[in-house]
Amino acid sequence: MNNKIALKLTLYFSAVLLVFALIIGGVFYQFFKQQTVEIKEKEMRLRAEKIAEVLSDNMARMESRHGDGIANSKFISYLDNVTQEIVWVVDSNRQLSINKDRVQRQRREVQKHHEHSGFTLFKTPKEAYERLPVRVKKKVEAGFAGKEFILEEYNPMLDGIMLTVGRPIYDDQGQVKAVLLLHSPVAGLRDAIWSGLRILLISLLVAMVLGMLLSVVLSWRFTGTIEKMKNIAERLAIFF
């Protein structure tokens, strides 16, 4: 009898702990995911703002060498090399400045996990722009209209889903001369989220094991107390 009561109590405690862990885990995952994405977006917006300011300050120098085709400037490739995210610039001639070495490194990194074939590297900045997804091109046009944007889109050139921040680049007269595209792989963001989730799951698992052990001890002590009360009651019943 006592064993059955102890078993039921243990099961009840375990069920409550499991439900509690699932609720807390789900809430924490959503909160952590949202916070991670928001922090990343904020960091990218700030970095895009700084890079756009640097490019604006050097616009006259780039135009003196390349005219409106500033996508051919090596200064943009330099910024791409020293920046954590991937830096692209679309100039007013709809040419896309891309560091080919960076693109190839990114594709090799992605292809460690899966192979994609049939991709040929672009030859000119104009061809590179034409290969942008339609949705990204529409956002670029909005950038030339002075609008900032952020989107998540599969990029065939980088062979992965990218979080992209777009920002207009102005000259000294306040005219939009180009649009900055700052890319960051979503896979890295997801890895950070899953890393946090793994820590949470391990913590919850340890807490559940300890909780179940505690529930077993409490259940047996509780049933032991009931057994003592039963024995005392039976002894007292003899005198009545």
Side-chain angles (χ1 to χ4, degrees):
M1 181 66 179
N2 291 338
N3 290 340
K4 290 183 179 180
I5 295 175
L7 179 60
K8 288 182 178 180
L9 288 173
T10 301
L11 292 175
Y12 289 150
F13 278 126
S14 300
V16 171
L17 286 172
L18 178 60
V19 172
F20 179 76
L22 291 175
I23 293 174
I24 293 298
V27 171
F28 178 84
Y29 172 72
Q30 292 299 327
F31 176 78
F32 183 75
K33 179 181 178 181
Q34 182 179 355
Q35 286 295 109
T36 302
V37 173
E38 288 180 357
I39 292 172
K40 183 62 177 179
E41 289 180 356
K42 183 178 180 180
E43 289 178 351
M44 289 184 65
R45 286 181 185 275
L46 290 174
R47 200 166 285 119
E49 180 181 357
K50 296 299 182 182
I51 294 174
E53 289 178 358
V54 171
L55 289 170
S56 294
D57 292 340
N58 289 271
M59 182 61 65
R61 183 182 302 173
M62 289 188 292
E63 285 185 329
S64 66
R65 294 185 179 182
H66 306 283
D68 290 334
I70 63 169
N72 295 298
S73 174
K74 293 182 179 180
F75 181 62
I76 298 174
S77 296
Y78 167 76
L79 291 177
D80 181 53
N81 285 326
V82 299
T83 305
Q84 179 180 354
E85 285 83 12
I86 300 170
V87 178
W88 290 359
V89 172
V90 180
D91 62 27
S92 57
N93 292 327
R94 301 312 186 265
Q95 297 184 109
L96 180 60
S97 172
I98 294 184
N99 186 333
K100 293 184 179 181
D101 293 336
R102 186 81 179 266
V103 170
Q104 291 174 331
R105 288 199 302 270
Q106 175 64 28
R107 290 183 62 84
R108 284 196 295 269
E109 184 66 27
V110 172
Q111 290 172 357
K112 288 180 182 178
H113 307 286
H114 62 276
E115 290 291 337
H116 282 184
S117 58
F119 176 84
T120 55
L121 199 62
F122 49 86
K123 296 181 180 180
T124 64
K126 191 71 174 179
E127 182 185 348
Y129 175 76
E130 293 301 326
R131 293 199 189 186
L132 286 177
V134 175
R135 186 182 175 201
V136 176
K137 288 182 181 179
K138 290 181 179 179
K139 291 293 185 180
V140 168
E141 294 306 317
F144 277 105
K147 297 180 180 179
E148 301 176 15
F149 61 87
I150 185 167
L151 75 159
E152 187 176 314
E153 181 83 8
Y154 174 75
N155 191 306
M157 283 183 280
L158 298 173
D159 196 17
I161 299 175
M162 296 288 154
L163 183 64
T164 301
V165 172
R167 190 176 181 89
I169 302 172
Y170 298 90
D171 62 9
D172 295 337
Q173 285 71 42
Q175 295 182 338
V176 179
K177 303 297 291 185
V179 175
L180 168 68
L181 300 177
L182 195 64
H183 302 292
S184 181
V186 173
L189 193 60
R190 290 175 178 170
D191 288 343
I193 294 173
W194 280 111
S195 178
L197 183 60
R198 282 195 294 270
I199 295 174
L200 173 66
L201 291 175
I202 293 172
S203 300
L204 288 176
L205 181 60
V206 172
M208 283 188 62
V209 171
L210 293 176
M212 290 178 66
L213 292 175
L214 182 61
S215 68
V216 171
V217 173
L218 292 177
S219 297
W220 281 102
R221 286 193 175 184
F222 180 73
T223 54
T225 302
I226 293 177
E227 181 66 21
K228 290 179 181 179
M229 293 173 62
K230 177 184 175 183
N231 294 334
I232 293 172
E234 289 177 349
R235 291 176 184 177
L236 292 174
I238 298 174
F239 300 98
F240 298 94

